[in-house]
Amino acid sequence: MNDFGAREMDVVVIGAGQAGLSAAYHLRRTGSEPDRDFVVLDHAPRPGGAWQFRWPSLTYGKVHGMHSLPGMELTKADDRLPSSEVIGAYFTAYERRFGLRVHRPVDVSAVREGGDGRLLVETSEGEYATRALINATGTWDRPFWPRYPGQESFLGRQLHTAHYQGPEEFAGLRVVVVGGGASATQHLMEIAEAASATYWVTRRPPVFREGPFGEEEGRAAVAMVEERVRLGLPPQSVVSVTGLPLSEAVRHAREQGVLDRLPMFERVTENGVAWADGREAAADVILWATGFRAAVDHLAPLKLREPGGGIRVEDTRAVRDPRVHLVGYGPSASTIGANRAGRAAVRSVGRLLNRAAARPDQHPSEHPATGRRARPNHSRVQGAATPR
């Protein structure tokens, strides 16, 4: 504790999805102890990251690739079970196996300058003063709702992917699905079986990707997203540059006319949507499958955003404050990218803490902010022991 009553940590990890758990695992590999050297805070009610909120009809067999967390493979998963159930159970077992002691549910309201070189993390369970922050909050908590004229006048129902629970609730209804990503196509293929009519609307013509998608293609796609982050622009999803995978189910839906795309409408009416050329479509529901934005509002007091609207990141470090690392952000939003970013962030944090500990005006074994003797192995990565 310090004079302000904040608990002191070397590292605070915010978020216990794929990226946050990867970071926590690698922190354990350095010899760091949960609740002594670092803490993982998660606002969700249970393990599973954003997966726990996915709709029940999204079975594990429909997931477009789930890379195992470091140190523990995801094996013998039943493709017929909901992905929320499969991955929730996997994350639960992972947290227990490596003793990560995730604090939940904990809401983080703000991260601000705390003095003495520390950041002050304000949470629903009190304050933490930390030397480094690994932010792994993802995007699920910030669904993006575009605005169109007349939207408030619509007499039907509007919902976002974040609130989608399956096709049953659309039985017999006319549904407009807005969005060009994988979620939109998944929703359409399900809803078309129950709805009386469906319409697919996107801003740009969708691009379907045929053929294999190997490491080289993946690296090229990630590089395109990474370039935006380096320039301080808001990150785009990886699928925005890779296109939509043309699976057998998608191919069949196209043949059946389910994925016949319409250009973006001009306005929303009381009873549907209308285009500039005079066409209209009557609708009972508008489903906005329009993606998500990075959930980083709690970092606003640190003024990390660039004029372009995004946070400029090099590797995982925020350029405006190297104490802050963002994982699962932009190019590391995929499951394999999140794993790599977690490891990279911990290595970078280790270098940061070592540099602070080696400041020439202090004894090398003293903490750079408090003068306390540093704990052994708190930032060693290479050759560290396996987590307990």
Side-chain angles (χ1 to χ4, degrees), residues 50-376:
W51 291 99
Q52 66 191 274
F53 305 114
R54 297 295 203 272
W55 50 99
S57 56
L58 181 62
T59 59
Y60 186 66
K62 295 179 182 177
V63 172
H64 294 305
M66 168 67 195
H67 201 272
S68 294
L69 285 158
M72 179 177 164
E73 292 294 316
L74 172 54
T75 58
K76 299 180 180 178
D78 189 337
D79 285 353
R80 299 166 297 177
L81 291 177
S83 58
S84 57
E85 183 177 328
V86 171
I87 297 173
Y90 172 55
F91 279 22
T92 298
Y94 190 87
E95 291 181 18
R96 288 175 179 167
R97 177 171 178 177
F98 297 115
L100 301 181
R101 303 178 205 164
V102 178
H103 292 215
R104 63 166 59 90
V106 177
D107 293 320
V108 176
S109 55
V111 181
R112 61 183 78 251
E113 184 59 56
D116 292 331
R118 288 182 177 265
L119 296 166
L120 188 66
V121 183
E122 299 175 355
T123 85
S124 57
E125 69 172 12
E127 296 181 339
Y128 289 90
T130 183
R131 302 169 66 197
L133 180 82
I134 298 178
N135 192 82
T137 47
T139 62
W140 188 260
D141 295 321
R142 282 204 64 201
F144 174 64
W145 294 75
R147 306 302 301 170
Y148 283 88
Q151 207 164 338
E152 296 79 6
S153 68
F154 184 61
L155 299 178
R157 181 188 177 199
Q158 298 185 62
L159 73 158
H160 191 276
T161 290
H163 310 113
Y164 177 79
Q165 289 298 306
E168 297 81 6
E169 58 186 323
F170 305 101
L173 302 179
R174 300 161 298 182
V175 184
V176 174
V177 177
V178 183
S183 293
T185 58
Q186 289 170 358
H187 296 336
L188 277 159
M189 289 188 291
E190 291 186 349
I191 293 170
E193 300 291 329
S196 63
T198 59
Y199 307 91
W200 185 24
V201 180
T202 71
R203 287 190 302 144
R204 292 182 294 272
V207 176
F208 290 94
R209 186 187 74 240
E210 294 193 74
F213 189 78
E215 288 188 12
E216 184 176 344
E217 292 83 1
R219 283 194 296 268
V222 168
M224 293 175 69
V225 179
E226 190 172 22
E227 179 62 18
R228 288 183 59 87
V229 172
R230 277 200 298 264
L231 294 173
L233 299 173
Q236 292 178 324
S237 65
V238 173
V239 75
S240 69
V241 296
T242 62
L244 295 164
L246 191 57
S247 65
E248 285 303 314
V250 170
R251 197 185 305 274
H252 178 71
R254 294 182 74 187
E255 293 171 353
Q256 297 298 311
V258 173
L259 297 181
D260 287 346
R261 171 260 180 188
L262 295 169
M264 197 64 213
F265 48 76
E266 181 185 54
R267 66 187 187 281
V268 179
T269 67
E270 288 186 354
N271 300 306
V273 296
W275 285 262
D277 61 6
R279 287 181 297 167
E280 294 191 17
D284 303 296
V285 180
I286 301 175
L287 172 53
W288 300 92
T290 45
F292 299 80
R293 299 294 182 264
V296 291
D297 289 352
H298 55 288
L299 301 179
L302 299 177
K303 296 180 170 49
L304 302 178
R305 289 192 184 274
E306 301 292 334
I311 299 175
R312 188 178 167 205
V313 174
E314 292 181 354
D315 295 326
T316 62
R317 299 186 310 280
V319 170
R320 290 180 178 261
D321 193 329
R323 296 171 298 179
V324 179
H325 292 71
L326 286 88
V327 295
Y329 178 83
S332 63
S334 66
T335 56
I336 188 170
N339 279 1
R340 292 170 176 168
R343 179 179 59 200
V346 170
R347 286 178 175 171
S348 184
V349 164
R351 290 191 293 268
L352 173 73
L353 300 185
N354 279 335
R355 284 196 300 270
R359 280 169 52 182
D361 57 333
Q362 293 174 319
H363 190 283
S365 65
E366 289 181 346
H367 190 290
T370 64
R372 295 184 306 176
R373 290 197 174 273
R375 304 181 186 100

